[in-house]
Amino acid sequence: MSQPSIRIVEVGPRDGLQNEQTLVPTRTKIELIDRLAATGLRTVEATAFVHPKWVPQMADATEVMAGLDPRPGVSYPVLVPNLQGLERALAAGAREVAVFTAASEAFNLKNTNASIADSLERFRPVLARAVEAGVAVRGYVSTVLGCPYQGDVPVADVVGVATALHEMGCYEVSLGDTIGVGTPRKAAALLVAVASQVPMAALAVHFHDTWGQALANILACVEAGVRVVDSSVAGLGGCPYARGATGNVATEDVVYMLDGLGLETGVDLEALAQVGGWISAELDRTSQSRAGRALLARAGSAG
Ligand SMILES: CC(C)(COP(=O)([O-])OP(=O)([O-])OC[C@H]1O[C@@H](n2cnc3c(N)ncnc32)[C@H](O)[C@@H]1OP(=O)([O-])[O-])[C@@H](O)C(=O)NCCC(=O)NCCSC(=O)C[C@@](C)(O)CC(=O)[O-]
């Protein structure tokens, strides 16, 4: 089979669940990750080694990693905010980690109790230790198209932070529209601006769908050259430190759109829709994925 031309980074088990108010059983998190990895997704973000008091839903990070049955060819990155988080992740067997900061000072302070500069300084020993341990490091920049606290975020600020992450050794930088306020022309212009400093092949886009713009933003960014897209099965998720942030764009909707564009993702959409239906039932939530719901309805009527 030819290599997928778009890599989907499935963030449902982490970004999708982190904001759930009811604690999701560890076994459910493990099953979700395993089910997702069986659909052809090559990157399934598994959990976060953050402060349990700040994000209680991620307190079982070590137990989640211990319960995984890793599939060949699938990576299971985990979020780490600092060296302490990295050491916890390494002890739990993580082979890829993701550091995260923001383009807005106000958001970064709320989210990680640090200024942007301080968070970047925190990452230097993380990158050094990760290289020593042979562990790949991804980077996130949050609030790239708007901040819940400061409002507009200058493009130059996003470019600066993304460049700093790439220069310190992040192999990929994901541009996060944390509150989903971006619109297609702005999103593509931002991507092109960052790509003037960071190779497009090292960039990813991460759109929350709070304003219903995520798919259109992804289309505009794919047309501008991005080839890595973050998404969340069933449209789960939202950041605990971005008031009202709803879920990420639904992975099923992204895959359906990309399939229609003839862009390979390697993902079995029917199988993915089943996972979306299963986790939505487990969480007693309605899936936010239009394509997922349509596929399940069709399967149900056919069944
Ligand atoms: C970063 C900190 C830890 C700073 O929190 P802090 O309080 O500044 O940390 P500290 O270094 O001052 O340490 C205070 C205590 O925390 C402990 N500690 C310190 N580090 C860790 C750790 N890694 N794991 C466990 N414990 C830790 C440390 O041991 C100490 O314990 P004590 O002495 O009080 O007993 C905290 O702010 C935090 O965990 N924040 C995480 C917030 C978060 O997870 N947000 C959601 C993820 S980001 C996101 O969703 C956006 C994204 C990525 O999806 C993209 C987008 O959509 O934009």
Side-chain angles (χ1 to χ4, degrees), residues 123-153:
F123 299 156
R124 294 195 191 286
V126 172
L127 270 294
R129 177 81 180 87
V131 167
E132 209 179 79
V135 162
V137 183
R138 194 176 198 243
Y140 280 102
V141 184
S142 290
T143 66
V144 296
L145 284 164
C147 167
Y149 306 103
Q150 81 175 42
D152 287 342
V153 174

Side-chain angles (χ1 to χ4, degrees), residues 146-275:
C147 167
Y149 306 103
Q150 81 175 42
D152 287 342
V153 174
V155 169
D157 291 358
V158 180
V159 174
V161 175
T163 304
L165 287 172
H166 188 247
E167 284 179 349
M168 70 169 63
C170 292
Y171 79 90
E172 186 166 272
V173 178
S174 180
L175 303 175
D177 181 11
T178 315
I179 57 174
V181 286
T183 49
R185 187 178 303 159
K186 267 183 77 177
L190 173 81
L191 174 70
V192 169
V194 177
S196 70
Q197 302 299 318
V198 178
M200 184 66 84
L203 293 175
V205 288
H206 179 107
F207 287 111
H208 284 257
D209 201 28
T210 314
W211 292 69
Q213 302 299 302
L215 271 187
N217 293 340
I218 290 169
L219 178 58
C221 290
V222 166
E223 287 174 343
V226 82
R227 287 296 177 266
V228 184
V229 176
D230 296 4
S231 58
S232 197
V233 67
L236 293 173
C239 174
Y241 295 93
R243 277 188 318 273
T246 63
N248 285 286
V249 63
T251 309
E252 303 94 311
D253 296 350
V254 176
V255 172
Y256 182 71
M257 178 179 78
L258 295 175
D259 284 353
L261 290 167
L263 293 170
E264 266 302 307
T265 61
V267 177
D268 175 340
L269 181 54
E270 303 273 351
L272 181 66
Q274 291 296 329
V275 179

Side-chain angles (χ1 to χ4, degrees), residues 14-15 18 48-55 79 81-82 84-86 88 100 107 110-113 122 140-143 176-178 206 208 238-241 248:
R14 192 277 306 172
D15 202 355
Q18 68 184 13
F49 287 86
V50 293
H51 195 312
K53 284 186 207 133
W54 287 58
V55 189
L79 255 61
N82 53 21
Q84 187 169 344
L86 176 67
R88 290 178 58 207
F100 54 99
F107 177 82
K110 288 272 187 189
N111 195 36
T112 63
N113 200 30
R122 265 180 190 168
Y140 280 102
V141 184
S142 290
T143 66
D177 181 11
T178 315
H206 179 107
H208 284 257
C239 174
Y241 295 93
N248 285 286

